[in-house]
Amino acid sequence: MAKPIVLTVDDDLDVLRTIERDLRTQYGADYRVIGSESPEKGLDILRQLKIRNDSVALMLADQRMPRMNGVEFLLEGMQIFPEAKRALLTAYADTTAAISAINEANINYFFLKPWDPPEEHLYPQLDDLLDDWRASYRPAFEGIRVLGTRWSPRCYELRDFLARNHLPYQWIDVEQSAQDPETKRLLELLGTGASDLPVVLFPDGTKLLESVPAQVAQKVGLRTRAQTDFYDLAIIGGGPAGLAAAVYGASEGLHTVMIEREAPGGQAGMSSRIENYLGFPTGLSGGDLARRAVVQAQRFGVEILSPQEAVSIRTEGSYRIVKLADGGKFSCHALLIAAGVQWRRLEAAGIARLQGAGVYYGGGASEALSSKGEIIYVVGGANSAGQAAMNFAKYAEKVVVLVRGDGLAATMSQYLIDQIQKTPNIQIWTRATVAEVHGEARLEEISVLCWDTNKVERVPASSMFIFIGALPQTDWLAGIIERDDRGFILTGPDLMRGSERPKGWTLDRDPFLLETNVPGIFAVGDVRHGSVKRVASGVGEGSVAVQFIHNYLSKV
Ligand SMILES: Cc1cc2nc3c(=O)[nH]c(=O)nc-3n(C[C@H](O)[C@H](O)[C@H](O)COP(=O)(O)OP(=O)(O)OC[C@H]3O[C@@H](n4cnc5c(N)ncnc54)[C@H](O)[C@@H]3O)c2cc1C
């Protein structure tokens, strides 16, 4: 934890060095002592400290300084750190002036120069002031701070990115805390306006205006560039299937890289509670599962590039070459595609305009806390919708689950249906679809088409979370990898037409179980045609594929 600061200001360098030394000797273990040779510089230091979210315990200034005297400095300093204790150093001749200034400026104490011995004339009084300050001191948050507004799509994208990448941050909603003096002070010091949001403040004092995930990723040191230009195994996609393959591949000696477009964990990372994954009888959140898997993969030496996107692949002899969204590329011998599926879009009038401003696809992890006292709509009847409803019900006043069918039995696991039935603030609205969404800058109402009456009902809604199934995004593989008519990748026996091997196949064996129509390129998890859409099956396929990859590599 960062030490609170004691700032001392004096234009006489000899006096400054002496007071700094005395302060450090007595308080250095618990406080950081900073000296400034001018009040102007002192104020600059205070502004920087505020932006870094440091705490200032005490400001101690010499009264007689040109341009700005000690009292004037302390008065200005007080605007930045109102809680800091304020003390003056004065010469005997200035005592009367100092006393009247003390009364006017609410200064806590004044010390006469010289203060020798400090054990008698300095420390006892400062001990009192610092004890007083400590009594109401709450350590400041030390990580990344994000300033923004709740209904801005850009702010949502950034918060979602931080949450899914497990980067701790403090969220400051500048609209909601507009009356909070601390927020006001911070905004004044930053001199930023609405167009600069989201603003990200880092503990080292740097700030990013109009910040986007890629900039933050770079700043916090997330790796997006490959360290070498060749790997034994490259994995595209960091969901459960890709992570499992990475752990097994690297633990069995393969030099492995994994590329993830958004955040490791994939769809599972968006799940508030996975209750059917073996070995976790009380369930675990997808975020937890992802975090553990990433640590495990890194322990075995897997290189994780995230956020980074694979945009094309090609083959050159036994090399498989992957091109990345930032123009970078590398080659590998074996390639595993574990790119999963992405949310299907809901067709309803006005919906695109409000995406990120009350309308969200999946996720919602970063939104749940903000939904306190609100009416939330969850669209969809599968397990993902059920988990989200249960999660929101902890905070929201009411959660309405909109389903097209007659009920949940055909699409949701019984354990979730049971939980929902026991949760009084969840309502199921069956045989209904969203026809239109309304709102200027954010979602305010939705129009719901009721199938039984064929009437449209317009209801208030602050947020709507959509979970209506998912499809693979594999167009970037067209012309190289064989897919079915919905874009799922064909592997192993699905590629065979009778005893005929896939077109262009050059080896004298059939494709392995999880191998695509290109030797050495494998596909696992939800992106694979015919796969079971579960965490455990993705993990299973990811680990099994490594066995086939070893077989393949033994003959390259
Ligand atoms: C909200 C929710 C709750 C769920 N709950 C459960 C549950 O309780 N139990 C259960 O068994 N299953 C559950 N599932 C299903 C389960 O999460 C999925 O079956 C599983 O995550 C599939 O894993 P995957 O690795 O194949 O793909 P995904 O998890 O979809 O991961 C694929 C990853 O690839 C990345 N990617 C895609 N294209 C590229 C590219 N070109 N370059 C780089 N990266 C790319 C994506 O960003 C994504 O992170 C849930 C799903 C959701 C959405």
Side-chain angles (χ1 to χ4, degrees):
M1 197 173 66
K3 293 181 194 170
I5 281 137
V6 168
L7 175 72
T8 178
V9 183
D10 203 313
D11 64 327
D12 180 331
L13 282 186
D14 288 337
V15 179
L16 182 66
R17 297 299 160 239
T18 314
I19 187 89
E20 273 188 78
R21 186 203 56 208
D22 285 351
L23 290 171
R24 253 181 220 121
T25 309
Q26 181 72 0
Y27 301 109
D30 300 318
Y31 296 87
R32 186 149 69 95
V33 177
I34 302 178
S36 166
E37 72 249 30
S38 82
E40 293 85 353
K41 270 197 191 156
L43 288 173
D44 275 350
I45 292 171
L46 288 177
R47 289 186 196 104
Q48 276 306 314
L49 293 172
K50 186 86 211 171
I51 291 172
R52 287 169 43 149
N53 217 18
D54 277 315
S55 302
V56 174
L58 173 77
M59 300 183 276
L60 177 61
D62 188 39
Q63 169 62 358
R64 193 175 281 201
M65 293 187 287
R67 298 186 301 279
M68 183 185 282
N69 66 35
V71 171
E72 287 163 343
F73 166 79
L74 291 172
L75 274 173
E76 285 211 30
M78 197 173 125
Q79 301 302 315
I80 307 170
F81 284 99
E83 312 303 334
K85 296 293 173 190
R86 302 168 287 278
L88 264 188
L89 273 179
T90 61
Y92 184 73
D94 296 330
T95 311
T96 320
I99 291 173
S100 64
I102 284 167
N103 292 336
E104 286 159 31
N106 216 353
I107 280 157
N108 302 102
Y109 205 84
F110 78 93
F111 296 92
L112 286 179
K113 290 195 279 190
W115 52 88
D116 265 343
E119 289 75 14
E120 224 171 279
H121 298 303
L122 186 70
Y123 299 150
Q125 298 81 353
L126 284 184
D127 284 349
D128 262 3
L129 289 183
L130 291 171
D131 281 352
D132 240 25
W133 179 82
R134 279 254 175 219
S136 54
Y137 164 59
R138 299 275 165 281
F141 180 78
E142 287 184 24
I144 296 170
R145 285 172 300 153
V146 181
L147 288 94
T149 55
R150 181 176 168 197
W151 303 110
S152 147
R154 294 184 58 172
C155 296
Y156 173 73
E157 184 195 16
L158 186 65
R159 281 188 299 141
D160 195 48
F161 165 79
L162 292 167
R164 290 180 56 195
N165 278 284
H166 311 287
L167 296 168
Y169 71 98
Q170 187 184 41
W171 165 242
I172 302 169
D173 186 322
V174 297
E175 276 173 359
Q176 263 192 1
S177 44
Q179 299 314 317
D180 169 43
E182 268 298 294
T183 309
K184 273 191 189 165
R185 258 190 296 278
L186 187 59
L187 285 172
E188 268 165 33
L189 283 178
L190 289 168
T192 49
S195 59
D196 299 319
L197 298 175
V199 174
V200 181
L201 304 177
F202 296 92
D204 66 0
T206 50
K207 62 180 178 194
L208 283 175
L209 305 181
E210 292 184 71
S211 178
V212 293
Q215 292 169 313
V216 178
Q218 204 177 16
K219 174 77 186 148
V220 298
L222 292 183
R223 190 178 281 175
T224 56
R225 299 228 164 105
Q227 300 297 292
T228 63
D229 51 14
F230 175 78
Y231 297 86
D232 299 324
L233 169 63
I235 298 164
I236 299 174
L243 281 164
V247 167
Y248 279 90
S251 68
E252 290 166 20
L254 299 179
H255 183 203
T256 303
V257 65
M258 189 183 85
I259 305 132
E260 167 52 50
R261 184 170 54 192
E262 293 166 14
Q267 294 169 72
M270 296 178 204
S271 168
S272 47
R273 192 128 217 103
I274 299 170
E275 302 201 46
N276 53 5
Y277 189 56
L278 190 71
F280 296 88
T282 55
L284 86 167
S285 75
D288 242 15
L289 181 69
R291 193 179 43 76
R292 288 163 190 242
V294 165
V295 172
Q296 204 173 3
Q298 283 170 334
R299 197 162 66 81
F300 287 121
V302 176
E303 210 178 288
I304 299 179
L305 311 186
S306 174
Q308 182 59 272
E309 184 177 5
V311 289
S312 69
I313 55 174
R314 65 187 169 84
T315 60
E316 249 180 59
S318 65
Y319 295 100
R320 276 82 191 99
I321 294 147
V322 178
K323 193 166 165 215
L324 303 173
D326 66 357
K329 62 177 179 185
F330 59 80
S331 62
C332 55
H333 269 154
L335 178 65
L336 182 96
I337 303 168
V341 290
Q342 282 73 42
W343 293 110
R344 266 184 45 221
R345 304 283 121 171
L346 180 70
E347 307 242 335
I351 202 160
R353 197 172 51 79
L354 294 179
Q355 191 179 328
V359 173
Y360 308 98
Y361 286 92
S366 59
E367 289 306 289
L369 280 172
S370 322
S371 66
K372 218 169 167 187
E374 297 181 347
I375 301 175
I376 303 293
Y377 277 76
V378 169
V379 184
N383 280 1
S384 48
Q387 287 175 3
M390 286 300 298
N391 191 33
F392 283 119
K394 288 186 234 153
Y395 310 97
E397 185 187 320
K398 185 163 96 168
V399 179
V400 184
V401 183
L402 273 183
V403 279
R404 282 188 306 181
D406 295 335
L408 299 173
T411 47
M412 197 179 284
S413 297
Q414 193 56 44
Y415 77 90
L416 268 173
I417 298 177
D418 293 344
Q419 289 177 5
I420 286 175
Q421 277 167 350
K422 285 188 205 137
T423 311
N425 63 335
I426 301 184
Q427 177 197 332
I428 310 294
W429 190 346
T430 56
R431 297 182 59 71
T433 42
V434 179
E436 191 172 355
V437 300
H438 313 273
E440 279 307 312
R442 50 164 289 200
L443 180 71
E444 286 163 21
E445 291 176 313
I446 57 175
S447 290
V448 180
L449 172 65
C450 311
W451 291 11
D452 292 330
T453 57
N454 208 24
K455 284 204 176 115
V456 171
E457 233 180 273
R458 195 161 161 160
V459 289
S462 46
S463 304
M464 178 169 83
F465 295 87
I466 304 163
F467 301 82
I468 54 165
L471 283 172
Q473 284 176 5
T474 50
D475 286 351
W476 59 285
L477 298 169
I480 300 179
I481 302 294
E482 277 192 36
R483 299 164 304 145
D484 68 15
D485 53 3
R486 294 199 300 155
F488 289 98
I489 296 176
L490 299 171
T491 52
D494 294 328
L495 289 159
M496 303 292 289
R497 283 156 198 95
S499 58
E500 201 184 315
R501 291 175 179 152
K503 215 169 118 210
W505 185 261
T506 48
L507 305 181
D508 60 357
R509 61 163 173 83
D510 292 349
F512 289 132
L513 188 63
L514 300 166
E515 201 172 20
T516 69
N517 58 304
V518 180
I521 301 186
F522 297 78
V524 290
D526 281 13
V527 75
R528 198 177 64 77
H529 169 87
S531 64
V532 177
K533 310 287 184 282
R534 287 278 186 275
V535 175
S537 44
V539 168
E541 288 189 10
S543 39
V544 167
V546 171
Q547 188 55 42
F548 293 116
I549 287 167
H550 280 303
N551 288 349
Y552 170 78
L553 290 176
S554 67
K555 301 213 170 59
V556 170

